[in-house]
Amino acid sequence: MSTSEPRSGTSPAPSTPLAGRRIRAALVGIGAIGRGSHLPALAELAEEGETEVVAAVDIDATAVGEFCAANGIPHAYTDLDRMLREQRPDLVSICTPPTLHRDQTVAALRAGAWVWCEKPPVPTLADFDAVQAEEGTDGGPYASIVFQHRFGSGSKHVRRLLAERAMGRPLVAHCQTTWYRDAAYYAVPWRGRWATEGGGPAMGHGIHQMDLLLDLLGPWSEVRAMAGRMVHDVETEDVSTALVRFANGAMATVVNSVLSPDEVSRIRIDCERATVELTHLYGHSNANWRITPAPDVPGDEADAWRDFGADVPSSHLEQLRELVASMRAGRRPRSSGADGRTSLELVAALYKSAFTDTTVRAGEIGPGDPFYTAMHGDAPGWAPVHSTAPVAAEEVSA
């Protein structure tokens, strides 16, 4: 897929007015995440009259042609720039591997399209800042990251309780993404490599739960971490642990693993008057949340905390609903800009702390810091020792 070269400081084309019509969407990358999560969400909103998928892009001409024919998508492309010129979509949904995200996002923004990009958004903080420099300044277009665990009735309810301090101050938290990936998973050429995946489980797996933790507790202030390669023959880590202090004083432990046969995703927050816990794997509903009040909390108050309302599971669909509403209102969506950057900055800080044996504070990693331009920071024992030439395009197709 062809993409435009990034140019810092340029202004994207103005957004097309969206009032009174469907949002024209294009899908870039037709692999598992594109066809399994993005397309169904777009199709659901199409049924509701909100969107229409006008094009799909992939490097495999035969595959994208068959995909479009099977899903009623009128235009198939192998060239992103050509699709952007000819179709002028309002929204571009990017479902390719991380190494492609920066250039594809920039190309879409310059064409006047909003972007909905799979996590991790880009491999480095420098890439993120380059993308943000291409966003509109008043009304879009903006680039939003897929952090679907923030969305849904459960996280919304708990976010409100924490913001209002209904359960008292948050004190201690635990964030766990302990999953299992075998050798076959890492046989895919772009996985486990800094240049193409950007990092290991902290970047590609645990970032979802860490993002939700930050969304619930607010800004982090410092991190102290360890990382290791314990099983897999990869450039990146396959396990990490971290201690994180938040600006509000709360302290958390974070564990990210792809070595754990008993897989679980978990967030637990102990507040002064209650413990709130989320236990799930790849998505959550109201039933996955549990609130345990302290012994002296009145029953009616605890019952109110446990009333999550109508069940709206976390999903790509719920995030897309909010993104479409933001597009129509011309406002920056959640999980974009500074709101999206904070999770990527935490990952970078985790790596810097682990690889340099230091405590890293929020805002510390910027231009001139080696961890700003590479998550491995050229640290001995972690920087790639083999050729870092990009893998062939056919090896990174999503």
Side-chain angles (χ1 to χ4, degrees):
M1 281 175 275
S2 170
T3 57
S4 301
E5 291 300 317
R7 294 176 289 119
S8 297
T10 60
S11 297
S15 299
T16 304
L18 301 173
R21 66 172 180 84
R22 291 174 181 260
I23 288 174
R24 292 166 50 82
L27 187 68
V28 181
I30 61 167
I33 196 69
R35 67 179 65 226
S37 296
H38 285 243
L39 182 62
L42 289 164
E44 177 66 25
L45 288 192
E47 289 289 327
E48 299 172 11
E50 289 286 350
T51 62
E52 59 177 326
V53 183
V54 299
V57 186
D58 197 85
I59 59 172
D60 188 326
T62 300
V64 73
E66 293 174 349
F67 175 82
C68 287
N71 292 286
I73 300 172
H75 303 286
Y77 289 87
T78 58
D79 186 298
L80 174 61
D81 288 336
R82 181 181 174 189
M83 185 278 291
L84 292 170
R85 289 194 307 270
E86 294 180 358
Q87 299 304 320
R88 303 297 296 178
D90 306 304
L91 173 66
V92 174
S93 186
I94 295 179
C95 309
T96 53
T99 189
L100 303 176
H101 289 176
R102 169 177 166 163
D103 285 0
Q104 290 174 342
T105 299
V106 167
L109 289 169
R110 289 183 181 169
W114 293 53
V115 174
W116 192 34
C117 183
E118 264 301 325
K119 62 81 194 166
V122 284
T124 71
L125 288 171
D127 290 328
F128 191 97
D129 291 346
V131 167
Q132 193 171 353
E134 301 286 348
E135 292 183 315
T137 56
D138 185 16
Y142 301 114
S144 181
I145 309 160
V146 175
F147 282 137
Q148 75 272 21
H149 293 290
R150 294 187 184 195
F151 299 85
S153 52
S155 54
K156 180 179 180 181
H157 177 66
V158 171
R159 186 185 310 111
R160 180 183 62 80
L161 291 176
L162 291 169
E164 295 175 354
R165 296 290 176 91
M167 301 178 292
R169 291 183 299 121
L171 304 172
V172 182
H174 177 67
C175 179
Q176 176 183 354
T177 305
T178 44
W179 294 356
Y180 185 80
R181 298 294 183 266
D182 59 15
Y185 176 86
Y186 284 104
V188 177
W190 60 268
R191 288 183 176 144
R193 294 179 55 178
W194 294 109
T196 48
E197 194 169 19
M203 182 72 146
H205 304 84
I207 193 172
H208 271 307
Q209 295 306 117
M210 290 190 289
D211 177 77
L212 178 55
L213 185 71
L214 292 172
D215 192 53
L216 295 174
L217 288 184
W220 63 276
S221 60
E222 62 181 293
V223 60
R224 193 72 167 82
M226 295 187 295
R229 293 187 201 100
M230 300 186 71
V231 172
H232 297 293
D233 183 17
V234 292
E235 290 181 347
T236 66
E237 88 289 2
D238 57 14
V239 64
S240 68
T241 64
L243 303 176
V244 181
R245 189 187 304 274
F246 286 79
N248 62 15
M251 295 186 291
T253 61
V254 177
V255 180
N256 301 303
S257 167
V258 287
L259 312 178
S260 308
D262 184 9
E263 296 185 291
V264 69
S265 304
R266 179 179 292 120
I267 287 178
R268 171 184 168 128
I269 303 172
D270 295 323
C271 300
E272 291 174 303
R273 306 182 67 220
T275 293
V276 58
E277 186 170 11
L278 167 66
T279 304
H280 67 115
L281 188 55
Y282 299 136
H284 53 83
S285 64
N286 287 354
N288 296 112
W289 294 83
R290 184 178 67 178
I291 296 178
T292 304
D296 60 346
V297 172
D300 57 346
E301 188 173 10
D303 289 342
W305 295 345
R306 293 178 176 132
D307 183 5
F308 284 74
D311 190 9
V312 181
S314 67
S315 66
H316 283 69
L317 175 60
E318 288 311 305
Q319 181 171 4
L320 182 61
R321 286 189 196 280
E322 189 167 311
L323 174 57
V324 166
S326 295
M327 292 177 67
R328 294 198 182 282
R331 63 173 180 263
R332 177 177 286 283
R334 293 172 61 208
S335 77
S336 72
D339 183 46
R341 191 183 191 276
T342 184
S343 297
L344 190 67
E345 185 187 8
L346 178 58
V347 173
L350 184 155
Y351 285 137
K352 180 176 180 178
S353 175
F355 300 163
T356 63
D357 194 27
T358 58
T359 296
V360 179
R361 290 170 175 78
E364 175 180 319
I365 302 175
D369 189 308
F371 287 88
Y372 181 70
T373 51
M375 287 289 176
H376 55 72
D378 291 321
W382 288 101
V385 294
H386 303 297
S387 170
T388 57
V391 294
E394 60 269 17
E395 294 181 327
V396 295
S397 172

